[in-house]
Amino acid sequence: MPLLDLPTLNVVQLGFGFFATFFAFNSQGFIEEAVIDSAADNGNINKHAGYYSLAIIYAVFTVANFVAAPIVDILTPKWAMVLGSLCYAIFQVGFLFLNEWYLYGSSALLGFGASIIWTGQGSYLSQNCTKETTSRNSSMLWAMSESSLLCGGLFLFIVFSVQGAQDQIPKSTINILYSVFTVLSLIATVIFSLLRAPYYPETVDRKNYGKLVGSTFKLMFTKKMILLAFVFAYTGLEQSFWTAIYPTCISFTKQLGSNTNALLALNAICTGFGQIAAGVLSGILGDRVRKIGRDAIILVGTIVHLVVYALCYINFPQDSSLKKTDDMGGLIQPNLAIALICGALLGFGDAIWNTQIYSFLCDTFSKQSAQAFALFKLYQSALSCAAFFYAPVLQLYWHLVILVVTSLFAACCFFYVERISREKSSVRDSYNFTEERDIKMRGDVQYRVNDNEQQNSE
């Protein structure tokens, strides 16, 4: 007897594919600006090309989410993820021969690829889950994919420790790093191409493509999805914070240390550890999460994030998100240990929010999973894009104010939507129980009638 059933094996294989994809992408994300700065000194590329690239990725990602659901339904989740993974590989290989226009074009392609790979992931996951396994499987998938942060951080730390403290990254190091990233993206493509068919496949009408697009817009304006939009939006804001703004604060706070590339790698390791810890914890709890309630788990995630934002205020100078500074933190001298703890807690809280959202969408929108996950990524990427646009002009403390307010509002919205869904589920379960009981009683009555008729005939 196999240790894992077939649906779980499918989710594990999916997790390995996302591990390889985001080992490469997340690792390069931490060093992209440093790599471009190094190339800009030689006059090969615009010094701010990294910011333009990021804006293009999220802008295209946002727009592409409107059509991601029908594309995934037409291609099937498996082949949509294969195509999306190829887009990541095309983006990575461009850093071996940095060209500004190739960077912008491949960034747009990556934005499209990201929309279908994430929507495909959500659809494939939901088609390999039942109500009893959604929490476990989504947590397991999240832990596997986000462990790429931990492993990628270790990889970068080793590379930069060998390289030593340098302001610029040598061309030879760049070639080694991005060769590894490109190969990993291609390995992920192979893993996705070998995925088995989903265990609980959805039936899709591929003759009416307009209807598929329309169903996404129709779902967008339902009461639940309007409320969830605020939840999704918050995950986009906090994602932009832990992936870019917070690492920038570490890099620009001179009192934390000298080898900033190595410090960024350490932060990535801590963030990855936090992501994995939350995913593993949710997986261990498994079915008990349903008894505890997703709203209670989200409350924990909200409290963790609020604590982090307070620590960031205490530990970092207000200009640390904008420029290099020797200033004191809000209340204390900047401390590296606190900074790394914040990185771990940011990852922990992010994983809690995302795993519970995954679980909720799989449970509540099992028949429209591609559309639901497309809208999730639409709102998330739109707010991440907005955050990257205002990040260059806002001091750290304003970022923290925005995050505190939106986290509280998002938590309230999630509590309300979860309560509505739980009440409807209880009513539906009660109705099904009553119907089954009535059918059983009618069967018993019919049995007694038939038995009496048989006795009378005798």
Side-chain angles (χ1 to χ4, degrees):
M1 184 177 179
L3 292 175
L4 297 174
D5 54 39
L6 195 57
T8 305
L9 283 172
N10 289 345
V11 175
V12 169
Q13 184 175 342
L14 181 66
F16 278 119
F18 270 80
F19 172 85
T21 299
F22 289 97
F23 182 107
F25 184 69
N26 287 332
S27 298
Q28 82 81 30
F30 282 109
I31 64 171
E32 180 178 354
E33 194 55 40
V35 168
I36 289 175
D37 277 345
S38 299
D41 287 345
N42 299 323
N44 295 335
I45 196 169
N46 188 300
K47 187 175 183 179
H48 300 296
Y51 293 112
Y52 301 147
S53 167
L54 202 58
I56 291 169
I57 289 172
Y58 279 94
V60 174
F61 187 19
T62 301
V63 175
N65 274 302
F66 281 107
V67 294
I71 290 174
V72 170
D73 281 336
I74 293 165
L75 294 178
T76 73
K78 169 183 173 177
W79 293 111
M81 287 187 286
V82 168
L83 178 59
S85 184
L86 282 174
C87 293
Y88 279 83
I90 291 169
F91 175 79
Q92 299 282 11
V93 77
F95 283 83
L96 297 176
F97 53 90
L98 260 176
N99 175 276
E100 190 166 346
W101 291 109
Y102 183 92
L103 175 65
Y104 297 153
S106 61
S107 296
L109 186 64
L110 175 58
F112 167 75
S115 70
I116 60 173
I117 199 172
W118 281 108
T119 302
Q121 183 211 53
S123 181
Y124 189 81
L125 172 65
S126 70
Q127 293 179 60
N128 284 283
C129 292
T130 63
K131 282 187 175 294
E132 290 71 30
T133 61
T134 50
S135 181
R136 183 201 67 190
N137 286 354
S138 59
S139 299
M140 179 174 61
L141 174 61
W142 189 261
M144 290 184 68
S145 60
E146 293 306 314
S147 63
S148 62
L149 276 171
L150 177 61
C151 296
L154 284 168
F155 173 66
L156 291 177
F157 183 74
I158 292 170
V159 171
F160 291 132
S161 295
V162 171
Q163 175 192 310
Q166 296 183 27
D167 289 335
Q168 306 298 327
I169 302 176
K171 177 65 175 174
S172 59
T173 303
I174 293 173
N175 288 341
I176 292 171
L177 289 171
Y178 281 91
S179 295
V180 172
F181 298 157
T182 302
V183 169
L184 282 170
S185 297
L186 292 174
I187 289 173
T189 304
V190 173
I191 293 172
F192 290 138
S193 70
L194 297 176
L195 283 170
R196 289 171 288 269
Y199 197 77
Y200 309 106
E202 295 177 357
T203 55
V204 179
D205 180 12
R206 293 187 172 85
K207 295 180 181 179
N208 194 341
Y209 301 152
K211 186 178 179 181
L212 291 172
V213 178
S215 65
T216 303
F217 282 96
K218 186 176 179 181
L219 181 62
M220 176 187 285
F221 294 104
T222 60
K223 182 179 179 181
K224 281 184 182 178
M225 196 55 71
I226 290 172
L227 289 168
L228 285 171
F230 296 100
V231 179
F232 302 157
Y234 170 67
T235 65
L237 291 175
E238 59 92 11
Q239 175 181 268
S240 67
F241 185 74
W242 72 260
T243 57
I245 297 167
Y246 185 71
T248 300
C249 292
I250 291 176
S251 178
F252 285 174
T253 303
K254 292 183 178 181
Q255 294 193 43
L256 290 177
S258 57
N259 191 346
T260 55
N261 289 329
L263 292 181
L264 289 178
L266 282 176
N267 176 64
I269 292 169
C270 291
T271 304
F273 179 79
Q275 293 271 4
I276 296 168
V280 169
L281 180 62
S282 297
I284 291 172
L285 289 174
D287 292 341
R288 280 173 285 184
V289 170
R290 297 177 63 83
K291 297 176 182 177
I292 297 169
R294 281 184 287 251
D295 44 3
I297 306 297
I298 285 291
L299 178 60
V300 172
T302 305
I303 293 171
V304 167
H305 270 171
L306 291 175
V307 169
V308 173
Y309 302 147
L311 289 174
C312 288
Y313 171 80
I314 292 170
N315 197 48
F316 287 95
Q318 63 176 346
D319 288 332
S320 60
S321 63
L322 301 174
K323 60 184 181 181
K324 290 188 179 293
T325 176
D326 278 318
D327 293 345
M328 290 281 293
L331 296 177
I332 63 172
Q333 182 176 340
N335 183 283
L336 180 59
I338 293 177
L340 296 179
I341 289 171
C342 286
L345 292 178
L346 281 170
F348 187 87
D350 177 73
I352 285 180
W353 276 92
N354 281 277
T355 53
Q356 298 314 303
I357 288 172
Y358 270 51
S359 176
F360 181 87
L361 294 181
C362 287
D363 267 0
T364 310
F365 302 101
S366 57
K367 301 300 182 184
Q368 294 178 291
S369 60
Q371 293 89 331
F373 278 93
L375 289 173
F376 170 32
K377 289 300 173 180
L378 165 70
Y379 289 116
Q380 187 180 63
S381 60
L383 268 293
S384 288
C385 182
F388 286 126
F389 272 113
Y390 66 65
V393 297
L394 281 189
Q395 292 177 318
L396 173 63
Y397 297 166
W398 286 109
H399 286 290
L400 297 176
V401 169
I402 292 170
L403 288 165
V404 167
V405 173
T406 54
S407 67
L408 292 171
F409 191 69
C412 291
C413 289
F414 189 91
F415 297 157
Y416 184 66
V417 174
E418 173 72 0
R419 185 169 65 84
I420 293 174
S421 298
R422 191 185 298 130
E423 288 174 353
K424 286 187 177 180
S425 179
S426 298
V427 170
R428 185 167 55 250
D429 291 344
S430 176
Y431 173 78
N432 290 337
F433 173 77
T434 303
E435 189 175 37
E436 290 173 3
R437 185 189 61 190
D438 291 345
I439 291 172
K440 185 175 184 297
M441 289 176 65
R442 288 196 297 269
D444 290 343
V445 170
Q446 186 64 42
Y447 173 79
R448 286 196 295 271
V449 169
N450 292 340
D451 188 49
N452 290 335
E453 288 177 351
Q454 185 177 0
Q455 289 177 0
N456 291 335
S457 64
E458 291 175 353

